[in-house]
Amino acid sequence: MNEILKAVGMLVVGFVLLIKGADFFVDGSSSIAKRFRVPSIIIGLTIVAMGTSLPECAVSITASITNNNTLAVSNVTGSNIFNLMMVCGVCALFRPLPVDKGTLKKEFPFSIICAGLLLLLGCLGMELNQIDGIIFCGIFLLFLFWMIHSAIKSRKEMPGVEHEGDEVMVLPMWQCAVYIVGGAIAIAIGGDWVVDGAVVIAQAFNISQTIIGLTVVALGTSLPELVTSIVAARKGEVDMAMGNVIGSNIFNILFVLGSASAISSIPFLMENVFDIIILLIVSILVWIYGWTKKEITRGEGLSMVLIYVAYTVYICLR
C-alpha cells in the first residue's frame, strides 16, 4: 500500500513538473521566436509544438532507457489521439477553429503520412528497431529544414509582423535562458517520475502498460498542448492552436519514437496496431472537418470530444 501511495505521489509531482516545466520552456522559446518576427503558424508547428511535446519525449525516452518500451508507443499514440480529439475539440467549443488552407494541403497530410509510416514500419517486424528510429529522426530533420525555409520566406514577405496578441510576452534574453534551461530540467525529472509511478501502479493492479500509457500518462503529458491551445484559441491565435496540435503529433512520432527506438528496439503489440489505425481514422476525420468549411465548428468539436470519451471507454474495457 505504501508503494502505491508513493507511486501516486510521484505521478502527481511528476505531472506538475512536466506541465510547469513545459510552460516555462514554451514561454522562453516563444519569446525568442517573436523577436525574429516568425508567423504564429510556424511558431505553433515548431517551437510551441516541440515545447509542449517535451513531456511525451521525456516519458518515452525514459521508458526506452529503463526497458519499459511498451509505454513509449502507447504514450505517443494516446497523446496524438488526445491532441486531435480533445485539444482541437475543446478549442472548437470555445469558438469555431479556422484551419488554414495551406495547412490542410501540406502539414496536416504530412502528419497523416507519419502515422501511416509508423503503422507500416511497426507491422513489418512487430517492433520499431534502431534503423526505424534513424529513419524517423532523419525525416524529422527534413521537416525542421522545411519549417525553417518557410519561416525565412514568411519573414521576407511580411518583414513587419509583430504578433500582437500572442499569449507569450517578449521576455528579456536572460529570463528566456532561465525559463528554457529550468523548464528542460523540470521536464526531464518529471518524465522520469511519471514513468516510475505509472509502472508501479500498473504492476500493483495487474493493468497493462499499454492501457496506462494510453490513458493516465497520455492525458498527463498532453495537458501542455491542451492548455496552450485553449489559451491561444481564446486570444484569437487560432493558427498557433492548430499548429501546436499538428506539430506536436509530427514531433511525437518522428522525434519522440524515433529517438526512443534508436536507443533500444520497441516491441509492437496488436493493441498498438489497432490504436494507430484509430489514430489514422480520427486524423482523416478531423482533416475532412477542416476541408468542408475551412474550420472546425462547435458541433464538430463536440463530436470529437464524444469520440474521445468513447475511445477511452473502449481501451479500458478491451
Side-chain angles (χ1 to χ4, degrees):
M1 187 65 181
N2 288 336
E3 275 193 24
I4 296 176
L5 290 175
K6 183 180 177 182
V8 171
M10 291 178 70
L11 269 176
V12 173
V13 176
F15 280 147
V16 171
L17 288 172
L18 283 169
I19 295 166
K20 293 307 297 180
D23 188 32
F24 283 125
F25 184 92
V26 169
D27 282 354
S29 300
S30 297
S31 186
I32 290 177
K34 284 179 66 179
R35 291 178 180 275
F36 292 93
R37 303 191 306 274
V38 180
S40 58
I41 184 65
I42 302 296
I43 294 176
L45 283 163
T46 53
I47 301 295
V48 176
M50 288 186 284
T52 55
S53 287
L54 282 177
E56 287 93 333
C57 187
V59 167
S60 294
I61 291 178
T62 302
S64 184
I65 292 173
T66 56
N67 291 321
N68 291 304
N69 290 355
T70 306
L71 199 62
V73 176
S74 57
N75 176 42
V76 164
T77 307
S79 294
N80 282 14
I81 294 173
F82 182 90
N83 287 345
L84 280 170
M85 295 288 97
M86 287 296 288
V87 176
C88 288
V90 172
C91 286
L93 291 178
F94 282 98
R95 66 167 68 187
L97 191 62
V99 185
D100 182 71
K101 188 175 181 180
T103 301
L104 289 169
K105 286 184 176 181
K106 295 181 290 186
E107 289 86 9
F108 211 134
F110 181 68
S111 70
I112 296 174
I113 291 172
C114 290
L117 182 61
L118 173 61
L119 180 64
L120 175 64
L121 294 180
C123 288
L124 285 178
M126 290 309 288
E127 71 170 7
L128 291 177
N129 55 38
Q130 282 85 356
I131 294 176
D132 297 331
I134 293 171
I135 291 173
F136 278 158
C137 290
I139 296 174
F140 179 70
L141 287 176
L142 293 176
F143 172 72
L144 277 185
F145 285 131
W146 176 24
M147 289 295 98
I148 291 171
H149 173 73
S150 298
I152 294 173
K153 183 179 178 182
S154 297
R155 284 196 67 197
K156 289 179 179 178
E157 293 176 352
M158 298 179 295
V161 64
E162 293 294 339
H163 299 295
E164 293 180 4
D166 280 359
E167 95 234 37
V168 181
M169 297 183 297
V170 178
L171 304 171
M173 288 301 294
W174 68 266
Q175 194 171 351
C176 292
V178 171
Y179 275 23
I180 291 171
V181 175
I185 293 172
I187 287 166
I189 296 174
D192 190 25
W193 287 7
V194 166
V195 170
D196 291 345
V199 170
V200 170
I201 294 173
Q203 292 173 344
F205 290 94
N206 293 319
I207 300 173
S208 71
Q209 289 187 20
T210 300
I211 292 179
I212 291 290
L214 283 166
T215 54
V216 178
V217 178
L219 173 62
T221 55
S222 290
L223 285 177
E225 282 93 340
L226 180 61
V227 174
T228 301
S229 293
I230 288 175
V231 171
R234 291 190 67 179
K235 291 188 175 183
E237 285 292 344
V238 289
D239 283 345
M240 182 178 289
M242 181 58 70
N244 179 30
V245 169
I246 298 172
S248 292
N249 283 11
I250 293 171
F251 181 83
N252 286 345
I253 293 175
L254 296 183
F255 184 79
V256 175
L257 282 183
S259 300
S261 57
I263 293 171
S264 62
S265 296
I266 303 174
F268 228 70
L269 306 176
M270 283 308 299
E271 288 90 342
N272 298 139
V273 174
F274 294 141
D275 291 326
I276 296 171
I277 291 173
I278 291 173
L279 173 60
L280 282 167
I281 292 172
V282 297
S283 296
I284 294 171
L285 175 65
V286 177
W287 188 46
I288 292 172
Y289 279 172
W291 267 114
T292 52
K293 298 179 180 178
K294 300 300 181 291
E295 69 175 14
I296 298 174
T297 64
R298 286 189 172 91
E300 290 167 342
L302 178 60
S303 72
M304 290 158 64
V305 172
L306 293 176
I307 289 172
Y308 184 78
V309 171
Y311 167 73
T312 302
V313 172
Y314 156 70
I315 60 176
C316 289
L317 294 178
R318 70 184 178 188

